[in-house]
Short mmCIF file of all heavy atoms in Angstrom, two decimals:
data_model
loop_
_atom_site.label_atom_id
_atom_site.label_comp_id
_atom_site.label_asym_id
_atom_site.label_seq_id
_atom_site.Cartn_x
_atom_site.Cartn_y
_atom_site.Cartn_z
N MET A 1 0.83 -1.19 0.03
CA MET A 1 -0.03 0.01 0.02
C MET A 1 0.87 1.28 -0.04
O MET A 1 1.76 1.41 0.96
CB MET A 1 -0.91 -0.01 1.24
CG MET A 1 -1.82 1.14 1.39
SD MET A 1 -2.78 1.27 2.87
CE MET A 1 -1.60 1.96 4.06
N THR A 2 0.69 2.11 -0.96
CA THR A 2 1.36 3.40 -1.00
C THR A 2 0.63 4.42 -0.17
O THR A 2 -0.56 4.46 -0.22
CB THR A 2 1.61 3.81 -2.46
OG1 THR A 2 2.18 2.88 -3.15
CG2 THR A 2 2.39 5.21 -2.49
N CYS A 3 1.36 5.23 0.54
CA CYS A 3 0.71 6.32 1.28
C CYS A 3 -0.15 7.23 0.52
O CYS A 3 0.36 7.68 -0.47
CB CYS A 3 1.82 7.06 2.02
SG CYS A 3 1.27 8.54 3.03
N VAL A 4 -1.30 7.46 0.98
CA VAL A 4 -2.26 8.27 0.22
C VAL A 4 -2.03 9.76 0.36
O VAL A 4 -2.54 10.58 -0.40
CB VAL A 4 -3.77 8.05 0.64
CG1 VAL A 4 -4.14 6.63 0.34
CG2 VAL A 4 -4.03 8.40 2.01
N ILE A 5 -1.18 10.13 1.35
CA ILE A 5 -0.89 11.52 1.52
C ILE A 5 0.28 11.97 0.66
O ILE A 5 0.11 12.93 -0.07
CB ILE A 5 -0.57 11.74 3.03
CG1 ILE A 5 -1.69 11.30 4.00
CG2 ILE A 5 -0.14 13.28 3.30
CD1 ILE A 5 -3.05 11.97 3.81
N CYS A 6 1.42 11.26 0.75
CA CYS A 6 2.50 11.77 0.02
C CYS A 6 2.74 11.00 -1.25
O CYS A 6 3.57 11.35 -2.06
CB CYS A 6 3.76 11.75 0.84
SG CYS A 6 4.33 10.00 1.28
N GLN A 7 1.97 9.86 -1.46
CA GLN A 7 2.00 9.05 -2.69
C GLN A 7 3.37 8.52 -2.98
O GLN A 7 3.64 8.01 -4.17
CB GLN A 7 1.67 9.92 -3.90
CG GLN A 7 0.36 10.70 -3.84
CD GLN A 7 -0.85 9.75 -3.96
OE1 GLN A 7 -0.71 8.69 -4.63
NE2 GLN A 7 -2.03 10.11 -3.39
N SER A 8 4.29 8.38 -2.01
CA SER A 8 5.52 7.78 -2.28
C SER A 8 6.05 6.86 -1.21
O SER A 8 6.73 5.90 -1.50
CB SER A 8 6.67 8.88 -2.53
OG SER A 8 6.88 9.62 -1.31
N GLY A 9 5.62 7.10 0.09
CA GLY A 9 6.14 6.23 1.17
C GLY A 9 5.40 4.95 1.18
O GLY A 9 4.20 4.91 0.79
N ILE A 10 5.95 3.91 1.70
CA ILE A 10 5.26 2.60 1.99
C ILE A 10 5.12 2.46 3.49
O ILE A 10 6.03 2.30 4.16
CB ILE A 10 6.09 1.49 1.43
CG1 ILE A 10 6.40 1.62 -0.02
CG2 ILE A 10 5.28 0.14 1.61
CD1 ILE A 10 5.20 1.70 -0.98
N PRO A 11 3.91 2.69 3.97
CA PRO A 11 3.59 2.64 5.48
C PRO A 11 3.94 1.32 6.06
O PRO A 11 3.82 0.21 5.50
CB PRO A 11 2.16 2.83 5.59
CG PRO A 11 1.83 3.67 4.33
CD PRO A 11 2.67 3.12 3.18
N GLU A 12 4.57 1.38 7.25
CA GLU A 12 5.04 0.08 7.93
C GLU A 12 4.41 0.08 9.32
O GLU A 12 4.09 1.14 9.88
CB GLU A 12 6.62 0.24 8.10
CG GLU A 12 7.37 0.35 6.80
CD GLU A 12 8.82 0.66 7.11
OE1 GLU A 12 9.21 1.05 8.17
OE2 GLU A 12 9.63 0.43 6.12
N ALA A 13 4.32 -1.18 9.91
CA ALA A 13 3.75 -1.35 11.21
C ALA A 13 4.56 -0.66 12.28
O ALA A 13 5.84 -0.63 12.25
CB ALA A 13 3.66 -2.79 11.49
N GLY A 14 3.93 0.00 13.22
CA GLY A 14 4.59 0.65 14.29
C GLY A 14 3.62 1.04 15.33
O GLY A 14 2.52 0.59 15.36
N THR A 15 4.03 2.07 16.08
CA THR A 15 3.12 2.62 17.10
C THR A 15 3.14 4.16 16.98
O THR A 15 4.12 4.78 16.52
CB THR A 15 3.39 2.19 18.48
OG1 THR A 15 4.75 2.69 18.84
CG2 THR A 15 3.32 0.74 18.72
N THR A 16 1.97 4.74 17.41
CA THR A 16 1.90 6.23 17.38
C THR A 16 1.21 6.74 18.69
O THR A 16 0.74 5.94 19.45
CB THR A 16 1.13 6.68 16.03
OG1 THR A 16 1.21 8.08 15.97
CG2 THR A 16 -0.39 6.23 16.13
N THR A 17 1.12 8.03 18.74
CA THR A 17 0.43 8.65 19.91
C THR A 17 -0.87 9.35 19.34
O THR A 17 -0.77 10.02 18.36
CB THR A 17 1.31 9.69 20.49
OG1 THR A 17 2.47 9.06 21.12
CG2 THR A 17 0.53 10.33 21.77
N VAL A 18 -1.97 9.04 20.00
CA VAL A 18 -3.22 9.60 19.49
C VAL A 18 -3.76 10.55 20.69
O VAL A 18 -3.84 10.21 21.76
CB VAL A 18 -4.31 8.55 19.32
CG1 VAL A 18 -5.71 9.17 18.95
CG2 VAL A 18 -3.83 7.60 18.23
N THR A 19 -4.05 11.74 20.30
CA THR A 19 -4.57 12.84 21.19
C THR A 19 -6.08 13.15 20.84
O THR A 19 -6.37 13.34 19.69
CB THR A 19 -3.74 14.08 21.09
OG1 THR A 19 -2.38 13.74 21.40
CG2 THR A 19 -4.18 15.08 22.19
N LEU A 20 -6.96 13.02 21.84
CA LEU A 20 -8.38 13.42 21.64
C LEU A 20 -8.66 14.52 22.52
O LEU A 20 -8.38 14.38 23.76
CB LEU A 20 -9.17 12.21 21.77
CG LEU A 20 -9.15 11.16 20.65
CD1 LEU A 20 -10.06 9.94 21.21
CD2 LEU A 20 -9.74 11.61 19.42
N GLU A 21 -9.43 15.50 22.10
CA GLU A 21 -9.95 16.54 22.97
C GLU A 21 -11.49 16.62 22.79
O GLU A 21 -11.91 16.71 21.66
CB GLU A 21 -9.30 17.90 22.56
CG GLU A 21 -9.44 18.93 23.60
CD GLU A 21 -8.65 20.19 23.36
OE1 GLU A 21 -7.89 20.16 22.31
OE2 GLU A 21 -8.64 21.09 24.18
N ARG A 22 -12.11 16.52 23.91
CA ARG A 22 -13.67 16.56 23.85
C ARG A 22 -14.11 17.51 24.97
O ARG A 22 -13.91 17.07 26.12
CB ARG A 22 -14.19 15.24 24.06
CG ARG A 22 -13.89 14.17 22.96
CD ARG A 22 -14.72 13.05 22.99
NE ARG A 22 -14.65 12.29 21.74
CZ ARG A 22 -15.29 11.20 21.49
NH1 ARG A 22 -16.20 10.73 22.44
NH2 ARG A 22 -15.25 10.57 20.40
N GLY A 23 -14.64 18.64 24.64
CA GLY A 23 -15.02 19.59 25.63
C GLY A 23 -13.84 19.81 26.59
O GLY A 23 -12.83 20.37 26.19
N THR A 24 -14.05 19.53 27.87
CA THR A 24 -12.97 19.87 28.83
C THR A 24 -11.99 18.61 29.09
O THR A 24 -11.13 18.71 29.86
CB THR A 24 -13.57 20.23 30.26
OG1 THR A 24 -14.31 19.18 30.78
CG2 THR A 24 -14.37 21.54 30.06
N THR A 25 -12.18 17.65 28.25
CA THR A 25 -11.40 16.35 28.46
C THR A 25 -10.30 16.29 27.37
O THR A 25 -10.64 16.44 26.26
CB THR A 25 -12.23 15.13 28.42
OG1 THR A 25 -13.27 15.08 29.46
CG2 THR A 25 -11.43 13.85 28.54
N LEU A 26 -9.04 16.05 27.83
CA LEU A 26 -7.98 15.84 26.86
C LEU A 26 -7.34 14.46 27.25
O LEU A 26 -6.99 14.28 28.44
CB LEU A 26 -6.92 16.97 27.13
CG LEU A 26 -5.65 16.74 26.29
CD1 LEU A 26 -5.93 16.91 24.79
CD2 LEU A 26 -4.57 17.79 26.69
N ILE A 27 -7.40 13.63 26.25
CA ILE A 27 -6.93 12.27 26.49
C ILE A 27 -5.83 11.91 25.46
O ILE A 27 -6.02 12.13 24.36
CB ILE A 27 -8.04 11.29 26.60
CG1 ILE A 27 -7.53 9.91 27.04
CG2 ILE A 27 -8.79 11.20 25.37
CD1 ILE A 27 -8.67 8.91 27.45
N VAL A 28 -4.77 11.28 26.00
CA VAL A 28 -3.68 10.96 25.10
C VAL A 28 -3.42 9.45 25.24
O VAL A 28 -3.26 8.98 26.44
CB VAL A 28 -2.42 11.75 25.49
CG1 VAL A 28 -1.28 11.41 24.65
CG2 VAL A 28 -2.61 13.24 25.45
N PHE A 29 -3.33 8.76 24.22
CA PHE A 29 -3.10 7.31 24.20
C PHE A 29 -1.63 7.24 23.59
O PHE A 29 -1.35 7.63 22.36
CB PHE A 29 -3.97 6.56 23.32
CG PHE A 29 -5.42 6.52 23.82
CD1 PHE A 29 -6.25 7.55 23.54
CD2 PHE A 29 -5.77 5.52 24.73
CE1 PHE A 29 -7.58 7.45 24.07
CE2 PHE A 29 -7.04 5.47 25.27
CZ PHE A 29 -7.98 6.47 24.95
N ARG A 30 -0.80 6.53 24.32
CA ARG A 30 0.55 6.27 23.78
C ARG A 30 0.66 4.83 23.31
O ARG A 30 -0.10 3.92 23.75
CB ARG A 30 1.54 6.50 24.94
CG ARG A 30 1.52 7.92 25.44
CD ARG A 30 2.41 8.11 26.62
NE ARG A 30 3.82 8.02 26.29
CZ ARG A 30 4.83 8.11 27.09
NH1 ARG A 30 4.49 8.09 28.33
NH2 ARG A 30 5.99 8.05 26.73
N ARG A 31 1.64 4.60 22.44
CA ARG A 31 1.95 3.23 21.94
C ARG A 31 0.66 2.66 21.26
O ARG A 31 0.31 1.44 21.50
CB ARG A 31 2.41 2.38 23.04
CG ARG A 31 3.74 2.84 23.52
CD ARG A 31 4.34 1.88 24.63
NE ARG A 31 4.44 0.56 24.19
CZ ARG A 31 5.50 0.15 23.36
NH1 ARG A 31 6.31 0.99 22.96
NH2 ARG A 31 5.51 -1.16 22.93
N VAL A 32 0.01 3.37 20.50
CA VAL A 32 -1.23 2.92 19.77
C VAL A 32 -0.69 2.17 18.47
O VAL A 32 0.01 2.86 17.73
CB VAL A 32 -2.21 4.09 19.41
CG1 VAL A 32 -3.40 3.47 18.55
CG2 VAL A 32 -2.66 4.70 20.68
N PRO A 33 -1.14 0.94 18.30
CA PRO A 33 -0.69 0.25 17.08
C PRO A 33 -1.21 0.92 15.75
O PRO A 33 -2.36 1.28 15.70
CB PRO A 33 -1.16 -1.17 17.23
CG PRO A 33 -2.37 -1.06 18.19
CD PRO A 33 -2.01 0.15 19.11
N ALA A 34 -0.36 1.21 14.86
CA ALA A 34 -0.72 1.88 13.66
C ALA A 34 0.23 1.50 12.50
O ALA A 34 1.26 0.93 12.74
CB ALA A 34 -0.67 3.35 13.88
N THR A 35 -0.19 1.83 11.31
CA THR A 35 0.73 1.73 10.23
C THR A 35 1.17 3.05 9.76
O THR A 35 0.31 3.94 9.58
CB THR A 35 -0.07 0.95 8.97
OG1 THR A 35 -0.54 -0.32 9.56
CG2 THR A 35 0.92 0.69 7.86
N ILE A 36 2.45 3.30 9.82
CA ILE A 36 2.94 4.64 9.68
C ILE A 36 3.88 4.79 8.48
O ILE A 36 4.72 3.95 8.18
CB ILE A 36 3.73 4.93 10.95
CG1 ILE A 36 2.89 4.79 12.20
CG2 ILE A 36 4.43 6.36 10.83
CD1 ILE A 36 3.59 4.75 13.45
N CYS A 37 3.67 5.87 7.75
CA CYS A 37 4.44 6.20 6.60
C CYS A 37 5.83 6.78 6.93
O CYS A 37 5.91 7.75 7.71
CB CYS A 37 3.71 7.24 5.67
SG CYS A 37 4.73 7.77 4.26
N PRO A 38 6.87 6.10 6.57
CA PRO A 38 8.22 6.51 6.98
C PRO A 38 8.63 7.83 6.23
O PRO A 38 9.59 8.50 6.60
CB PRO A 38 9.11 5.38 6.55
CG PRO A 38 8.41 4.74 5.42
CD PRO A 38 6.95 4.92 5.71
N ASN A 39 7.96 8.23 5.25
CA ASN A 39 8.24 9.43 4.44
C ASN A 39 7.58 10.59 4.96
O ASN A 39 8.31 11.63 5.26
CB ASN A 39 7.78 9.18 3.00
CG ASN A 39 8.28 10.33 2.10
OD1 ASN A 39 9.47 10.71 2.03
ND2 ASN A 39 7.31 10.86 1.36
N CYS A 40 6.37 10.56 5.26
CA CYS A 40 5.71 11.86 5.71
C CYS A 40 5.12 11.69 7.15
O CYS A 40 4.70 12.74 7.76
CB CYS A 40 4.54 12.23 4.76
SG CYS A 40 3.13 11.20 4.84
N GLY A 41 5.12 10.46 7.72
CA GLY A 41 4.75 10.31 9.09
C GLY A 41 3.19 10.12 9.26
O GLY A 41 2.71 10.06 10.45
N GLU A 42 2.49 10.05 8.20
CA GLU A 42 1.01 9.82 8.33
C GLU A 42 0.82 8.48 8.93
O GLU A 42 1.46 7.49 8.62
CB GLU A 42 0.35 9.89 6.96
CG GLU A 42 -1.08 9.62 6.88
CD GLU A 42 -1.92 10.69 7.54
OE1 GLU A 42 -1.38 11.75 7.85
OE2 GLU A 42 -3.10 10.47 7.74
N SER A 43 -0.24 8.40 9.82
CA SER A 43 -0.47 7.08 10.49
C SER A 43 -1.84 6.59 10.12
O SER A 43 -2.80 7.32 9.97
CB SER A 43 -0.39 7.27 12.03
OG SER A 43 -1.19 8.17 12.48
N TYR A 44 -1.89 5.33 9.98
CA TYR A 44 -3.27 4.69 9.60
C TYR A 44 -3.56 3.71 10.75
O TYR A 44 -2.79 2.81 11.02
CB TYR A 44 -3.04 3.89 8.30
CG TYR A 44 -2.60 4.77 7.07
CD1 TYR A 44 -1.21 5.03 6.84
CD2 TYR A 44 -3.57 5.39 6.25
CE1 TYR A 44 -0.91 5.91 5.85
CE2 TYR A 44 -3.17 6.20 5.22
CZ TYR A 44 -1.90 6.41 5.08
OH TYR A 44 -1.51 7.27 3.94
N LEU A 45 -4.79 3.95 11.25
CA LEU A 45 -5.28 3.08 12.36
C LEU A 45 -6.39 2.18 11.90
O LEU A 45 -7.19 2.55 11.12
CB LEU A 45 -5.81 3.95 13.52
CG LEU A 45 -4.78 4.47 14.50
CD1 LEU A 45 -3.79 5.50 13.79
CD2 LEU A 45 -5.47 5.24 15.62
N ASP A 46 -6.29 0.97 12.45
CA ASP A 46 -7.47 -0.04 12.18
C ASP A 46 -8.73 0.51 12.71
O ASP A 46 -8.72 1.16 13.85
CB ASP A 46 -7.14 -1.44 12.81
CG ASP A 46 -6.01 -2.07 12.15
OD1 ASP A 46 -5.69 -1.72 11.00
OD2 ASP A 46 -5.49 -3.03 12.74
N ASP A 47 -9.81 0.20 12.17
CA ASP A 47 -11.15 0.59 12.61
C ASP A 47 -11.39 0.16 14.10
O ASP A 47 -11.88 0.92 14.88
CB ASP A 47 -12.24 0.12 11.72
CG ASP A 47 -12.34 0.82 10.40
OD1 ASP A 47 -11.67 1.92 10.21
OD2 ASP A 47 -13.01 0.23 9.49
N ALA A 48 -10.93 -1.07 14.33
CA ALA A 48 -11.05 -1.59 15.71
C ALA A 48 -10.32 -0.78 16.72
O ALA A 48 -10.80 -0.56 17.81
CB ALA A 48 -10.64 -3.07 15.76
N VAL A 49 -9.18 -0.28 16.38
CA VAL A 49 -8.31 0.43 17.24
C VAL A 49 -9.02 1.89 17.43
O VAL A 49 -9.11 2.34 18.57
CB VAL A 49 -6.95 0.66 16.64
CG1 VAL A 49 -6.08 1.64 17.50
CG2 VAL A 49 -6.19 -0.71 16.70
N VAL A 50 -9.44 2.44 16.28
CA VAL A 50 -10.15 3.71 16.47
C VAL A 50 -11.37 3.56 17.32
O VAL A 50 -11.60 4.47 18.23
CB VAL A 50 -10.61 4.23 15.00
CG1 VAL A 50 -11.51 5.49 15.10
CG2 VAL A 50 -9.27 4.46 14.17
N ASP A 51 -12.11 2.54 17.17
CA ASP A 51 -13.34 2.32 17.97
C ASP A 51 -13.06 2.30 19.49
O ASP A 51 -13.62 2.86 20.39
CB ASP A 51 -14.08 1.08 17.63
CG ASP A 51 -14.84 1.14 16.29
OD1 ASP A 51 -14.98 2.31 15.75
OD2 ASP A 51 -15.30 0.12 15.77
N GLN A 52 -11.80 1.50 19.75
CA GLN A 52 -11.53 1.37 21.20
C GLN A 52 -10.93 2.73 21.75
O GLN A 52 -11.32 3.02 22.87
CB GLN A 52 -10.32 0.37 21.26
CG GLN A 52 -10.09 -0.11 22.66
CD GLN A 52 -8.98 -1.17 22.71
OE1 GLN A 52 -8.75 -1.95 21.80
NE2 GLN A 52 -8.33 -1.20 23.78
N VAL A 53 -10.32 3.47 21.01
CA VAL A 53 -9.79 4.86 21.45
C VAL A 53 -11.02 5.73 21.71
O VAL A 53 -10.99 6.39 22.86
CB VAL A 53 -8.84 5.42 20.44
CG1 VAL A 53 -8.57 6.89 20.68
CG2 VAL A 53 -7.46 4.66 20.45
N TYR A 54 -11.90 5.75 20.83
CA TYR A 54 -12.94 6.62 20.98
C TYR A 54 -13.92 6.13 22.22
O TYR A 54 -14.43 7.00 22.93
CB TYR A 54 -13.89 6.75 19.69
CG TYR A 54 -13.34 7.73 18.78
CD1 TYR A 54 -12.35 7.44 17.87
CD2 TYR A 54 -13.86 9.11 18.76
CE1 TYR A 54 -11.89 8.43 16.95
CE2 TYR A 54 -13.34 10.05 17.93
CZ TYR A 54 -12.33 9.72 17.00
OH TYR A 54 -11.89 10.63 16.16
N GLN A 55 -14.05 4.89 22.27
CA GLN A 55 -14.88 4.38 23.39
C GLN A 55 -14.26 4.84 24.83
O GLN A 55 -14.85 5.28 25.78
CB GLN A 55 -14.92 2.85 23.39
CG GLN A 55 -15.81 2.19 24.51
CD GLN A 55 -17.24 2.75 24.48
OE1 GLN A 55 -17.92 2.69 23.46
NE2 GLN A 55 -17.73 3.31 25.59
N ALA A 56 -12.94 4.60 24.89
CA ALA A 56 -12.19 4.99 26.11
C ALA A 56 -12.36 6.56 26.31
O ALA A 56 -12.39 7.00 27.49
CB ALA A 56 -10.79 4.62 25.96
N ALA A 57 -12.24 7.33 25.24
CA ALA A 57 -12.40 8.74 25.31
C ALA A 57 -13.80 9.13 25.85
O ALA A 57 -14.01 10.01 26.63
CB ALA A 57 -12.14 9.42 24.06
N ASP A 58 -14.82 8.42 25.41
CA ASP A 58 -16.22 8.55 25.89
C ASP A 58 -16.35 8.26 27.33
O ASP A 58 -16.91 9.09 28.08
CB ASP A 58 -17.07 7.66 25.08
CG ASP A 58 -17.44 8.18 23.69
OD1 ASP A 58 -17.11 9.24 23.34
OD2 ASP A 58 -18.04 7.33 22.85
N ASP A 59 -15.71 7.26 27.71
CA ASP A 59 -15.66 6.81 29.14
C ASP A 59 -15.02 7.88 30.04
O ASP A 59 -15.50 8.25 31.09
CB ASP A 59 -14.99 5.52 29.32
CG ASP A 59 -15.72 4.32 28.75
OD1 ASP A 59 -16.94 4.43 28.36
OD2 ASP A 59 -15.20 3.25 28.63
N ALA A 60 -13.88 8.39 29.52
CA ALA A 60 -13.11 9.47 30.23
C ALA A 60 -13.92 10.70 30.41
O ALA A 60 -13.99 11.33 31.38
CB ALA A 60 -11.78 9.64 29.65
N THR A 61 -14.60 11.05 29.27
CA THR A 61 -15.34 12.27 29.21
C THR A 61 -16.55 12.15 30.25
O THR A 61 -16.88 13.04 30.98
CB THR A 61 -15.96 12.50 27.87
OG1 THR A 61 -14.85 12.69 27.00
CG2 THR A 61 -16.82 13.81 27.81
N ALA A 62 -17.20 10.94 30.30
CA ALA A 62 -18.38 10.73 31.12
C ALA A 62 -18.00 10.73 32.58
O ALA A 62 -18.69 11.14 33.44
CB ALA A 62 -19.05 9.32 30.76
N ALA A 63 -16.65 10.32 32.89
CA ALA A 63 -16.21 10.26 34.18
C ALA A 63 -15.73 11.67 34.66
O ALA A 63 -15.21 11.84 35.82
CB ALA A 63 -15.06 9.29 34.31
N GLY A 64 -15.69 12.69 33.77
CA GLY A 64 -15.26 13.94 34.13
C GLY A 64 -13.77 14.18 34.17
O GLY A 64 -13.28 15.12 34.78
N VAL A 65 -13.03 13.30 33.53
CA VAL A 65 -11.56 13.38 33.53
C VAL A 65 -11.18 14.61 32.69
O VAL A 65 -11.83 14.93 31.66
CB VAL A 65 -11.00 12.04 32.81
CG1 VAL A 65 -9.56 12.27 32.59
CG2 VAL A 65 -11.27 10.88 33.64
N GLU A 66 -10.22 15.27 33.22
CA GLU A 66 -9.78 16.53 32.58
C GLU A 66 -8.63 16.23 31.62
O GLU A 66 -8.59 16.68 30.43
CB GLU A 66 -9.37 17.65 33.47
CG GLU A 66 -10.60 18.19 34.18
CD GLU A 66 -10.31 19.47 35.06
OE1 GLU A 66 -9.14 19.81 35.14
OE2 GLU A 66 -11.29 19.97 35.67
N VAL A 67 -7.60 15.56 32.16
CA VAL A 67 -6.41 15.23 31.38
C VAL A 67 -6.03 13.81 31.76
O VAL A 67 -5.98 13.50 32.98
CB VAL A 67 -5.19 16.13 31.67
CG1 VAL A 67 -3.94 15.80 30.88
CG2 VAL A 67 -5.50 17.70 31.35
N ASP A 68 -5.77 12.88 30.73
CA ASP A 68 -5.33 11.66 31.00
C ASP A 68 -4.38 11.16 29.95
O ASP A 68 -4.55 11.42 28.72
CB ASP A 68 -6.55 10.67 31.05
CG ASP A 68 -6.22 9.35 31.64
OD1 ASP A 68 -5.14 9.17 32.19
OD2 ASP A 68 -7.14 8.39 31.52
N VAL A 69 -3.33 10.58 30.31
CA VAL A 69 -2.33 9.98 29.40
C VAL A 69 -2.20 8.57 29.79
O VAL A 69 -1.90 8.18 30.93
CB VAL A 69 -0.93 10.66 29.56
CG1 VAL A 69 0.06 10.02 28.68
CG2 VAL A 69 -1.05 12.14 29.30
N ARG A 70 -2.47 7.68 28.85
CA ARG A 70 -2.43 6.24 29.12
C ARG A 70 -1.84 5.45 27.96
O ARG A 70 -1.81 5.86 26.83
CB ARG A 70 -3.99 5.76 29.35
CG ARG A 70 -4.83 5.93 28.15
CD ARG A 70 -6.25 5.45 28.47
NE ARG A 70 -6.94 6.23 29.44
CZ ARG A 70 -8.21 6.04 29.86
NH1 ARG A 70 -8.87 4.98 29.42
NH2 ARG A 70 -8.79 6.75 30.67
N GLU A 71 -1.35 4.24 28.33
CA GLU A 71 -0.85 3.40 27.35
C GLU A 71 -2.00 2.65 26.64
O GLU A 71 -2.96 2.34 27.44
CB GLU A 71 0.03 2.26 28.06
CG GLU A 71 1.30 2.87 28.73
CD GLU A 71 2.40 2.91 27.70
OE1 GLU A 71 2.69 1.89 27.05
OE2 GLU A 71 2.95 4.04 27.66
N PHE A 72 -1.92 2.44 25.45
CA PHE A 72 -2.99 1.74 24.76
C PHE A 72 -2.91 0.26 25.02
O PHE A 72 -1.85 -0.36 24.93
CB PHE A 72 -2.90 2.02 23.22
CG PHE A 72 -4.02 1.32 22.40
CD1 PHE A 72 -5.23 1.96 22.19
CD2 PHE A 72 -3.91 0.03 21.95
CE1 PHE A 72 -6.32 1.39 21.51
CE2 PHE A 72 -4.88 -0.55 21.23
CZ PHE A 72 -6.04 0.08 21.05
N HIS A 73 -3.99 -0.42 25.42
CA HIS A 73 -4.02 -1.87 25.49
C HIS A 73 -5.23 -2.37 24.68
O HIS A 73 -6.25 -1.90 24.73
CB HIS A 73 -4.35 -2.23 27.03
CG HIS A 73 -3.18 -1.79 27.94
ND1 HIS A 73 -1.87 -2.37 27.79
CD2 HIS A 73 -3.09 -0.82 28.84
CE1 HIS A 73 -1.12 -1.81 28.70
NE2 HIS A 73 -1.79 -0.93 29.34
N HIS A 74 -4.86 -3.52 23.94
CA HIS A 74 -5.94 -4.06 23.17
C HIS A 74 -7.01 -4.59 24.07
O HIS A 74 -6.71 -5.25 25.12
CB HIS A 74 -5.34 -5.23 22.34
CG HIS A 74 -4.72 -4.81 21.04
ND1 HIS A 74 -5.52 -4.35 20.02
CD2 HIS A 74 -3.46 -4.77 20.58
CE1 HIS A 74 -4.76 -4.02 19.00
NE2 HIS A 74 -3.58 -4.35 19.33
N ALA A 75 -8.24 -4.41 23.71
CA ALA A 75 -9.40 -4.92 24.38
C ALA A 75 -9.34 -6.49 24.22
O ALA A 75 -8.98 -7.04 23.20
CB ALA A 75 -10.63 -4.48 23.73
N SER A 76 -9.52 -7.14 25.35
CA SER A 76 -9.51 -8.60 25.35
C SER A 76 -10.70 -9.19 24.76
O SER A 76 -10.81 -10.45 24.42
CB SER A 76 -9.19 -9.11 26.74
OG SER A 76 -10.12 -8.72 27.62
N ALA A 77 -11.84 -8.43 24.80
CA ALA A 77 -13.14 -9.00 24.31
C ALA A 77 -13.07 -9.39 22.89
O ALA A 77 -12.71 -8.50 22.03
CB ALA A 77 -14.23 -8.01 24.54
ZN1 LIG B 1 3.38 9.42 3.32
#
């Protein structure tokens, strides 16, 4: 797969950091599995990973968390 952003890099498996801001909640996930373009740095996340990140962000927002930095862990379900 050629990177759709720069049209020249070949994305490789790696990890990235995802930051989400919702209202007063800022949540940062570290070591999120992603496919990353070595040329421009664009990252591609699996839908399942995106769903999990957004679900965790929803939970944090509902819990009234203001700032949270956490390691990403695959859901066991
Ligand atoms: Zn690229």
Side-chain angles (χ1 to χ4, degrees):
M1 178 183 85
T2 303
C3 177
V4 299
I5 303 299
C6 67
Q7 305 285 335
S8 66
I10 305 298
E12 301 170 345
T15 59
T16 190
T17 299
V18 176
T19 303
L20 287 174
E21 192 167 5
R22 293 192 167 185
T24 59
T25 300
L26 176 67
I27 186 164
V28 180
F29 292 90
R30 301 174 70 186
R31 298 182 57 76
V32 177
T35 306
I36 300 164
C37 175
N39 186 52
C40 70
E42 178 69 11
S43 57
Y44 300 87
L45 276 64
D46 288 344
D47 288 346
V49 170
V50 172
D51 286 348
Q52 193 179 330
V53 166
Y54 274 85
Q55 182 61 54
D58 285 345
D59 291 347
T61 302
V65 172
E66 291 188 357
V67 179
D68 193 10
V69 180
R70 60 178 71 178
E71 295 275 307
F72 182 88
H73 294 291
H74 274 293
S76 55

